[in-house]
Amino acid sequence: EAQVTQNPRYLITVTGKKLTVTCSQNMNHEYMSWYRQDPGLGLRQIYYSMNVEVTDKGDVPEGYKVSRKEKRNFPLILESPSPNQTSLYFCASSLYGKGDEQYFGPGTRLTVT
Amino acid sequence: TQLLEQSPQFLSIQEGENLTVYCNSSSVFSSLQWYRQEPGEGPVLLVTVVTGGEVKKLKRLTFQFGDARKDSSLHITAAQPGDTGLYLCAGDRYGGATNKLIFGTGTLLAVQP
């Protein structure tokens, strides 16, 4: 089944404790991205990747890191999480880029206390 | 500054009513996508509009792209409880120097039986 998987689905952590949210897709997609979703603000793009080893900032990259060592994986790293990073996070992938259908993962709800 | 503004933000209607959701911008887009997101899940693509003035129909849903490709609308005829969800528009900005995909603020629709 073609899908985007994210882990964990739920995470409660404390300020400053490094964490990684994994994202994997099995559709051989070139383009992958991370979004955060907050009430009233819609989906805001954090980082995106056009291909392996190619990543670029989205609209809200501060406090986040990403890597794209393999085509299928695109982990999101929070080196020192803060309470303002409490949010619902989505990973997405598409065949080539922003104009193609985006396939979203199920989301990761992160709470930073 | 939000590049894509959606209205209304919230809409609660009775089954059988018609409704229209708007997605507006001062920027020109190469294409616009509409997604629906149900609770606990990631957004799922409904349609992509590419040509100015284009109208696409998906059963009871009618999507229109403005002539100037700056706005779009989604009209639902005879809404049903299954239409309940968050509707998001997303734009591929024309002439944009980056590969960022821009999402609107979202319209939360509740259809009461």
Side-chain angles (χ1 to χ4, degrees):
Chain A
E1 180 191 353
Q3 60 183 350
V4 178
T5 56
Q6 290 178 232
N7 282 292
R9 293 290 312 276
Y10 302 92
L11 180 58
I12 301 173
T13 189
V14 295
T15 299
K17 187 177 180 182
K18 180 179 179 180
L19 67 93
T20 299
V21 184
T22 64
C23 172
S24 183
Q25 51 94 3
N26 62 0
M27 296 169 279
N28 202 35
H29 284 171
E30 305 279 344
Y31 186 87
M32 296 186 75
S33 55
W34 276 102
Y35 296 87
R36 59 177 291 172
Q37 186 172 39
D38 302 289
L41 296 176
L43 280 164
R44 293 180 293 166
Q45 197 172 42
I46 303 170
Y47 270 95
Y48 64 92
S49 169
M50 295 297 296
N51 208 330
V52 175
E53 303 293 358
V54 180
T55 64
D56 208 345
K57 296 177 182 178
D59 290 319
V60 287
E62 295 77 21
Y64 304 95
K65 283 175 59 178
V66 293
S67 69
R68 188 95 181 271
K69 294 185 170 59
E70 308 165 275
K71 198 173 192 178
R72 63 184 295 127
N73 296 322
F74 191 45
L76 179 70
I77 303 153
L78 284 72
E79 294 269 3
S80 182
S82 62
N84 65 12
Q85 292 178 299
T86 292
S87 187
L88 180 58
Y89 291 86
F90 287 99
C91 178
S93 73
S94 71
L95 192 55
Y96 293 120
K98 58 180 177 171
D100 299 319
E101 176 177 2
Q102 304 296 313
Y103 291 81
F104 284 85
T108 295
R109 184 163 292 282
L110 172 66
T111 301
V112 183
T113 61
Chain B
T1 303
Q2 188 73 34
L3 275 178
L4 275 172
E5 297 284 348
Q6 285 185 242
S7 61
Q9 265 193 297
F10 305 100
L11 196 53
S12 181
I13 61 172
Q14 294 297 124
E15 183 175 359
E17 291 184 26
N18 302 332
L19 66 114
T20 302
V21 175
Y22 299 94
C23 174
N24 295 308
S25 176
S26 56
S27 299
V28 177
F29 289 91
S30 299
S31 65
L32 262 174
Q33 301 170 350
W34 282 93
Y35 290 82
R36 179 168 68 208
Q37 183 180 12
E38 299 186 15
E41 299 181 10
V44 175
L45 181 71
L46 295 172
V47 79
T48 301
V49 285
V50 179
T51 307
E54 181 177 6
V55 176
K56 278 192 174 178
K57 293 197 174 191
L58 189 66
K59 297 183 182 177
R60 293 176 294 99
L61 279 59
T62 301
F63 303 85
Q64 185 160 8
F65 201 12
D67 291 339
R69 290 184 293 151
K70 291 183 179 182
D71 53 82
S72 181
S73 64
L74 157 60
H75 182 79
I76 301 179
T77 303
Q80 298 177 2
D83 295 327
T84 293
L86 178 67
Y87 289 81
L88 294 158
C89 61
D92 173 6
R93 195 170 169 194
Y94 179 77
T98 72
N99 283 291
K100 293 191 287 186
L101 183 62
I102 300 162
F103 274 84
T105 47
T107 294
L108 187 59
L109 171 66
V111 182
Q112 313 295 337

